[in-house]
Amino acid sequence: MRKPFMAGNWKMNTDSHSSVALARAVVAGSTDVAGDRVDVAVIAPFVYLRAVAQAVSSSAVAVGAQDVYFEQKGAFTGEISPAMLKDVGCTYVLCGHSERRHVIGESDDLVGKKVTAAIHGGLLPILCVGELLEERDAGKTENVVERHLRTGLAGLDGEKMSAVTVAYEPVWAIGTGRTATPQQAQEVHQFIRGLLAKIYGKDLADEIRILYGGSVKPDNAKELMAQADVDGLLVGGASLKADDFVKIIRAGV
Ligand code: 13P
């Protein structure tokens, strides 16, 4: 059975004090369930990762980074390697978040290289996929999601694939207050699992966790989690308030 997984993506928010305070509050609010009944991760800005990792070190709450570069070291000014993320205590890393794809301009191929490099570096990638509003309106949701998946997972065999979490984040639902309905989320999650079954076989596809992200709040978390193929939530804005994120974590139990 797939254990629920709740991840809070802090994006470019918090500071050295509030990042640690938020991490501590998430630990305090989730100790009775984190690890055993639900996996929990806080995905902090690079510069606070080490302090956040220290703040959660005696708990089951894991730490993730928001991005990674695919090279191991060298002349790549401003980039961060998988080994650096491991070194400061990361377990997870987001690859291909829609803000990286659409604000920063990351290509599908670059995202795929990052996923592979993350796994080689001993990290667990969370591959983000999802369509723009105009793509949904044009009936292209499945095409876009399939392209993101096939390019994001390019070259991964089944063993490496088992390290991956997929996150479906429809871009039109991110930070807009406009959540996908549970049915819309389920439709795409089911499509993703079906595609993973085609590529990797049903047994592995049944093990892979598929998270939903996009305006998740305490009051919609439960009905999203009630969908058969929604295995967890990737939470932006609401993960910046410990009380809200803890409520969301508990919606997965
Ligand atoms: P919001 O929850 O703020 O819509 O952000 C979703 C997201 O992008 C998580 O990665």
Side-chain angles (χ1 to χ4, degrees):
M1 270 316 290
R2 300 182 294 267
K3 196 198 290 183
F5 179 19
M6 303 298 192
N9 174 12
W10 296 354
K11 307 192 179 183
M12 199 172 72
N13 293 293
T14 71
D15 58 25
S16 53
H17 176 79
S18 63
S19 58
V20 168
L22 180 54
R24 287 200 181 124
V26 170
V27 168
S30 65
T31 34
D32 57 327
V33 290
D36 284 341
R37 300 178 62 190
V38 53
D39 285 337
V40 178
V42 288
I43 302 179
F46 285 138
V47 288
Y48 307 129
L49 284 171
R50 192 181 189 90
V52 166
Q54 275 163 1
V56 303
S57 60
S58 60
S59 80
V61 174
V63 176
Q66 299 173 13
D67 188 27
V68 66
Y69 198 56
F70 64 87
E71 297 282 4
Q72 292 185 15
K73 64 177 181 172
F76 304 103
T77 301
E79 295 299 331
I80 301 289
S81 72
M84 290 172 178
L85 295 180
K86 285 289 281 186
D87 185 35
V88 295
C90 284
T91 303
Y92 295 97
V93 62
L94 297 181
C95 296
H97 188 277
S98 73
E99 286 142 22
R100 304 280 333 157
R101 292 180 192 267
H102 298 295
V103 182
I104 314 292
E106 285 190 10
S107 68
D108 295 338
D109 288 347
L110 178 58
V111 174
K113 285 182 183 167
K114 290 180 175 195
V115 171
T116 299
I119 294 171
H120 283 149
L123 294 163
L124 303 176
I126 302 172
L127 170 63
C128 302
V129 304
E131 80 286 5
L132 298 163
L133 183 57
E134 59 261 37
E135 292 167 333
R136 172 161 284 259
D137 288 345
K140 291 187 181 150
T141 297
E142 292 187 353
N143 302 28
V144 173
V145 168
E146 175 158 359
R147 195 189 77 228
H148 284 169
L149 277 174
R150 287 193 183 275
T151 51
L153 303 174
L156 293 190
D157 59 18
E159 194 191 326
K160 295 202 179 76
M161 181 61 205
S162 60
V164 177
T165 299
V166 176
Y168 170 56
E169 297 204 304
V171 181
W172 48 272
I174 295 178
T176 57
R178 183 177 164 191
T179 328
T181 65
Q183 293 69 30
Q184 284 174 320
Q186 170 58 22
E187 273 171 25
V188 181
H189 282 230
Q190 197 175 357
F191 170 75
I192 292 170
R193 200 172 311 282
L195 186 60
L196 294 177
K198 266 193 224 159
I199 305 173
Y200 293 103
K202 186 174 180 319
D203 287 354
L204 182 52
D206 282 343
E207 279 171 27
I208 302 294
R209 292 186 291 195
I210 307 173
L211 316 185
Y212 169 79
S215 297
V216 174
K217 301 283 179 289
D219 61 4
N220 59 24
K222 255 210 141 63
E223 50 174 357
L224 287 161
M225 287 302 293
Q227 304 305 309
D229 291 293
V230 176
D231 307 313
L233 301 167
L234 180 55
V235 187
S239 74
L240 295 170
K241 293 184 205 127
D243 286 356
D244 282 357
F245 189 49
V246 165
K247 282 185 196 144
I248 292 168
I249 292 168
R250 289 178 176 282
V253 175

